[in-house]
Amino acid sequence: MKKFIWSFVFILGFFLLPLTSTQAASQEQSLVKEIKEIIQNTYVGTINGNLEKATSIAEIIDMLDPYSTYFTKQEFEDYMNSINLSTIGIGVVIEEHEDGIHILQVIEGSGAFDAGLEAGDIIIAINGESIIGRSTQETSSLLTGNEGSQVKVTLKDSNEITTTKTTKTITRKKFTLPNVQSELLFGHVGYISLASFSEDGAQLVKKALVDLKKRGAKSFILDLQNNGGGYVTTAEELTGLFPSAKVAYLLEEAHSSYTIPAVKQSTKFPVNTRILVNRYSASASEMLSASLKDQKAAILYGETTYGKGAMQGFYMLHDGSYLKLTVGKFTGPAQQTIHEVGVKPNIQTTTAPIFQAHFDAIKEQYPQYKKLSSGQTAFQAGKLTVKLPSTLVSQIDKGHIQLIALGADEVVATTKVEGQTLIITPTSLLSPDQEYMLLIHPKKQGKTQKGYYHYIKFEN
């Protein structure tokens, strides 16, 4: 019996191979006995039924939590191949949901992307067949297929109060999920996004960290939004990239508990690193977030996370198939419950957390600057106007004003002052969905003259 500790959200790429022969039926009874023994010894969770009287694998799985399931040998091989994040399907990352299967991420360029699917949409039927109550494996088998083939997907918007349904025909394509993306934002702020906790996830993040430091990054934002988890060993390695984080997580198994240390790393994020999370950040993402929050090793921004504080193990059975089983519950060092609760960020945001995180990272570089006291803002005819205090007008020098698109770079614009109004004319239109920062630098550096900053958000 071989065990793998794992906690990963499915990237669609599975093909179910049903057993139909008499020999297979006999083999299943042997597997049923083996599975029962493993569950009795290691399962952590409620068993909804009489395990001893169960006569099939499907019956047993129905008694367990949503994260425990069974793989045939082929399914398991396909599952492990999916770690490379390349497969044929509609191009979405999914997780179980009480109303069906909810989409955590849509891969750019995929069939789902072309059809207009979005993160947060809930799949309720496939080819007219309801998938409510189905596992991600079952849903995966319906969504995968030959390249170029089509599938009809019925969706319910998770934000809709009513039960409005939309059915879309999606073409299956080969797609690859870019696991780590990075860029240098305005103000020497390094941005790194991690899509999943793949086996090499920590190495990829570490490489991006080193590269951004070489490019001049002084502070960092690590984006875990829509990240459904992955290898817990990757979470242990990532925790080690933060200076004051010594503990990766606390684990409660069926018969024992452990304190799992972070894996020491030679390269470190700075202490002011900001972590972005949302309601779809789950499992290993929550493991890392809770650890960093509890140890004050980073600052969390965004929404309360998904609430999957359960860890699964993989057990190889005698025929080469696998049982995926919840074997423990984890928390951060402060022992606050994560399962079905989630991790609450230090700074909760109502819009994309990248805006506030980037704003704070820039502001941190100008500790002597003050918040613009009035700062009444309007946007008309392609121009941005900002009301200035009368005491500041004489200090304004149009060559010392910067408009920054938060989460991106400086906006090219011209500026002028008329009375007490600062008029900014960008070379391209500003977006109402974007948030901005205004930096008004002093004409001369010194103790008597200080700059100002202003947060700009368009009201709907």
Side-chain angles (χ1 to χ4, degrees), residues 317-343:
L317 307 175
H318 71 269
D319 68 339
S321 61
Y322 282 81
L323 174 66
K324 175 189 171 192
L325 192 67
T326 296
V327 296
K329 301 288 178 67
F330 62 82
T331 70
Q335 298 183 321
Q336 294 185 358
T337 301
I338 294 174
H339 197 58
E340 298 182 349
V341 175
V343 180

Side-chain angles (χ1 to χ4, degrees), residues 8 28 43 57 63 66 81 87 89-90 105-106 131 138 145 178 218 227 247 286 292 296 303 305 314 319 387 413 418:
F8 186 67
E28 181 173 11
Y43 178 64
I57 296 174
M63 295 180 183
N81 288 336
T87 188
I90 69 168
Q105 185 176 1
V106 178
I131 52 86
E138 293 174 294
K218 298 177 181 178
N227 186 318
V247 175
E286 297 175 284
L292 299 180
K296 295 181 174 56
E303 300 175 303
T305 60
F314 272 100
D319 68 339
K387 191 73 171 179
E418 293 183 355

Side-chain angles (χ1 to χ4, degrees), residues 98-113:
E98 60 183 1
D99 294 333
I101 294 290
H102 78 67
I103 297 173
L104 296 178
Q105 185 176 1
V106 178
I107 310 306
E108 186 171 354
S110 68
F113 181 86

Side-chain angles (χ1 to χ4, degrees), residues 35-53:
I35 289 171
K36 286 180 180 179
E37 290 177 355
I38 296 172
I39 291 172
Q40 290 167 345
N41 290 327
T42 62
Y43 178 64
V44 173
T46 301
I47 299 176
N48 298 307
N50 190 327
L51 183 65
E52 290 300 321
K53 292 184 177 180

Side-chain angles (χ1 to χ4, degrees), residues 224-349:
L224 301 181
Q225 293 179 97
N226 303 320
N227 186 318
Y231 283 100
V232 296
T233 51
T234 299
E236 295 164 15
E237 293 168 355
L238 285 170
T239 308
L241 290 172
F242 293 82
S244 60
K246 308 301 180 185
V247 175
Y249 57 94
L250 306 183
L251 177 62
E252 289 285 341
E253 290 190 334
H255 307 293
S256 56
S257 60
Y258 305 92
T259 297
I260 309 299
V263 176
K264 293 182 179 180
Q265 304 285 353
S266 57
T267 301
K268 302 285 187 180
F269 278 101
V271 294
N272 59 348
T273 297
R274 292 163 171 86
I275 310 294
L276 310 185
V277 294
N278 65 2
R279 69 190 72 180
Y280 305 124
S281 303
S283 198
S285 291
E286 297 175 284
M287 180 181 287
L288 176 62
S289 298
S291 176
L292 299 180
K293 180 184 177 183
D294 289 353
Q295 296 175 93
K296 295 181 174 56
I299 309 166
L300 269 60
Y301 287 72
E303 300 175 303
T304 298
T305 60
Y306 185 78
K308 182 181 179 294
M311 181 184 294
Q312 285 69 52
F314 272 100
Y315 294 87
M316 187 171 71
L317 307 175
H318 71 269
D319 68 339
S321 61
Y322 282 81
L323 174 66
K324 175 189 171 192
L325 192 67
T326 296
V327 296
K329 301 288 178 67
F330 62 82
T331 70
Q335 298 183 321
Q336 294 185 358
T337 301
I338 294 174
H339 197 58
E340 298 182 349
V341 175
V343 180
K344 184 177 179 180
N346 301 100
I347 299 174
Q348 293 183 289
T349 62

